[in-house]
Amino acid sequence: MSEKILIKKFHACMRPEWVSYQIETPSTASGFPDRYFAVPGRHGLIEFKYLPSWPARRGTVVKVEHFTPKQKAFLNIPGMMAGHGVFLVIQIGPLDVFIFDYKGAQHVGTLTRGEFDAVALLHFHFKSFNNKERRAILRARILEVLKKW
């Protein structure tokens, strides 16, 4: 699994309810989010991150080495100005996926496994993508989060 596969699966789950474009390229500013998205009534930015596994101990802080201070700033500044529409989607291990708003994203890198659920807007498992009915339910939950925040 990788960040590219996470993006591909997330995008496939959300179709046809959303449009998404890659905006992070070698020519964009350092720290720029990965994707621009639009859903009915809302648009914004999403940064995707993937970690192959959780730390061995539940109380250990989950370090996200490739989530840089510039990326946190790029999520925080538009989030504060608009008040919504900026998200971090992070997958840890083969199943756990979390969605954070711009405020919660500022804490990523300082949270333990037990704290992820308390700060995230949504936590789901990739098993939900394997079944058409589950995918539809998950899509509705994700849309609710994206539109609300």
Side-chain angles (χ1 to χ4, degrees), residues 131-148:
N131 170 298
K132 189 175 181 178
E133 291 171 9
R134 282 194 216 152
R135 224 179 7 254
I137 292 167
L138 178 59
R139 183 183 316 111
R141 289 179 63 205
I142 293 170
L143 282 170
E144 183 180 320
V145 166
L146 296 180
K147 289 179 180 182
K148 182 179 178 183

Side-chain angles (χ1 to χ4, degrees), residues 17-142:
E17 303 292 333
W18 91 329
V19 175
S20 169
Y21 299 101
Q22 179 177 336
I23 55 174
E24 180 192 42
T25 67
S27 63
T28 56
S30 176
F32 209 76
D34 294 319
R35 310 288 287 190
Y36 165 82
F37 75 92
V39 297
R42 182 66 52 120
H43 63 96
L45 303 169
I46 299 181
E47 177 66 31
F48 288 90
K49 292 295 174 194
Y50 171 78
L51 295 174
S53 64
W54 290 99
R57 287 182 280 145
R58 192 166 179 81
T60 300
V61 171
V62 180
K63 297 289 184 191
V64 185
E65 293 177 20
H66 300 290
F67 189 39
T68 67
K70 285 185 179 183
Q71 288 174 317
K72 283 186 178 187
F74 261 98
L75 294 179
N76 196 41
I77 294 167
M80 286 189 321
M81 294 180 86
H84 59 76
V86 187
F87 301 93
L88 170 66
V89 175
I90 184 168
Q91 180 183 350
I92 304 175
L95 297 176
D96 292 300
V97 181
F98 298 87
I99 299 178
F100 294 89
D101 67 357
Y102 71 95
K103 292 176 188 174
Q106 302 309 303
H107 300 286
V108 170
T110 66
L111 303 172
T112 64
R113 181 177 188 163
E115 295 169 327
F116 260 70
D117 277 321
V119 178
L121 299 175
L122 183 63
H123 174 203
F124 60 92
H125 290 108
F126 255 137
K127 282 193 247 181
S128 302
F129 290 132
N130 298 338
N131 170 298
K132 189 175 181 178
E133 291 171 9
R134 282 194 216 152
R135 224 179 7 254
I137 292 167
L138 178 59
R139 183 183 316 111
R141 289 179 63 205
I142 293 170

